[in-house]
């Protein structure tokens, strides 16, 4: 009885599908790269906290990440590239934590996001060592990080039944960005979040006015 080789023969008509061992090797390589990428981001945050954003070097980042400097350069060409990746990653982390609070109300989620931004150790280090650099990014603008942040805010507004218009999104985003330069106390955050939600709610579209029932004139004419 002949044995089919279609599943293992690369020249068969299946388009050259990979063997399980090849797929497993690639999967392991991808996982290793992902872990190295995450380690680099953690190393960058640790380097900023320890040395400041201006003084930290690629060597410092690699050392605190526990990876070789050459490995770091395989992932990022410059220190600024690392910092951009850190910002994008931190936006995602803050957004995830805030989303977890959404069931308790949008004001609670905004409060949580503001707390995480205001208490971020690396940001506080930059605020001391290089306030001008922090001020330059404290106003919502363009770029991947701001785009991601706007998407997250719009999604949160929509999930809670608020209008996710650009004006409403930027209203929330500007408040959160203000925490980069001037973190609020817990009491101030709670008050600000409540006021912010009132302002966003004011942008809800008005309820449609009920229309009068059409007059049935049938049979009324003589």
């Amino acid at each position: 009885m002949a044995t089919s080789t279609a599943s293992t023969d690369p020249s068969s008509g299946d388009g050259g599908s990979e063997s399980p061992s090849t797929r497993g090797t690639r999967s392991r390589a991808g996982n290793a790269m992902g872990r190295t990428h995450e380690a680099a981001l953690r190393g960058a945050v640790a380097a900023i906290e320890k040395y400041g954003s201006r003084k930290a070097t690629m060597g410092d980042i690699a050392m605190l990440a526990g990876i070789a400097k050459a490995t770091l350069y395989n992932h990022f060409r410059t220190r600024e590239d690392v910092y951009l990746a850190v910002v994008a990653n931190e936006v995602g982390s803050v957004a995830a934590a805030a989303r977890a609070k959404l069931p308790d109300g949008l004001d609670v989620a905004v409060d949580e996001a503001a707390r995480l931004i205001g208490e971020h150790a690396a940001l506080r280090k930059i605020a001391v060592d290089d306030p001008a650099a922090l001020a330059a990014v404290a106003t919502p603008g363009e770029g991947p990080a701001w785009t991601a942040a706007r998407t997250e805010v719009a999604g949160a507004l929509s999930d809670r039944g608020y209008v996710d218009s650009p004006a409403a999104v930027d209203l929330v985003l500007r408040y959160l960005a203000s925490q980069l330069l001037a973190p609020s106390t817990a009491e101030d955050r709670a008050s600000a979040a409540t006021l912010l939600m009132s302002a966003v709610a004011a942008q809800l579209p008005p309820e449609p006015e009920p229309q009068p029932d059409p007059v049935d004139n049938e049979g009324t004419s003589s």
Side-chain angles (χ1 to χ4, degrees):
M1 178 176 179
T3 302
S4 172
T5 59
S7 61
T8 57
D9 184 0
S11 64
S12 62
D14 61 359
S17 60
E18 296 178 344
S19 67
S21 61
T22 302
R23 289 195 299 271
T25 300
R26 291 194 175 185
S27 177
R28 288 193 295 273
N31 291 338
M33 288 189 68
R35 289 193 296 270
T36 301
H37 186 89
E38 292 173 1
L41 298 184
R42 291 194 299 270
V45 172
I48 292 171
E49 292 177 9
K50 186 173 184 178
Y51 303 111
S53 59
R54 299 177 69 178
K55 293 182 179 180
T57 66
M58 290 290 272
D60 295 328
I61 294 171
M63 179 186 66
L64 293 172
I67 59 178
K69 188 175 178 180
T71 302
L72 179 62
Y73 275 108
N74 286 337
H75 289 259
F76 303 100
R77 295 181 61 185
T78 67
R79 183 185 63 177
E80 285 65 33
D81 288 342
V82 184
Y83 288 169
L84 286 174
V86 167
V87 170
N89 187 68
E90 294 303 298
V91 167
S93 296
V94 169
R99 277 198 303 270
K101 298 287 185 179
L102 270 180
D104 299 325
L106 187 58
D107 57 334
V108 177
V110 169
D111 185 300
E112 178 67 3
R115 182 188 71 80
L116 292 172
I117 294 170
E119 295 179 358
H120 197 287
L123 290 175
R124 303 279 56 81
K125 180 69 174 179
I126 297 173
V128 172
D129 292 346
D130 196 2
L134 195 60
V137 299
T139 301
E142 304 302 322
W146 288 118
T147 298
R150 286 189 173 93
T151 299
E152 292 290 347
V153 171
L157 289 172
S158 179
D159 286 348
R160 297 303 298 180
Y162 291 90
V163 169
D164 58 351
S165 65
V169 169
D170 266 17
L171 186 62
V172 176
L173 198 56
R174 286 179 183 279
Y175 166 67
L176 294 177
S178 73
Q179 300 304 296
L180 293 169
L181 297 175
S184 302
T185 64
E187 183 178 355
D188 287 343
R189 283 197 309 269
S191 298
T194 300
L195 290 172
L196 190 63
M197 292 308 97
S198 296
V200 172
Q203 299 189 45
L204 286 174
E207 292 289 336
E209 295 184 3
Q211 298 297 316
D213 294 332
V215 177
D216 185 5
N217 293 322
E218 185 176 349
T220 60
S221 59
S222 56

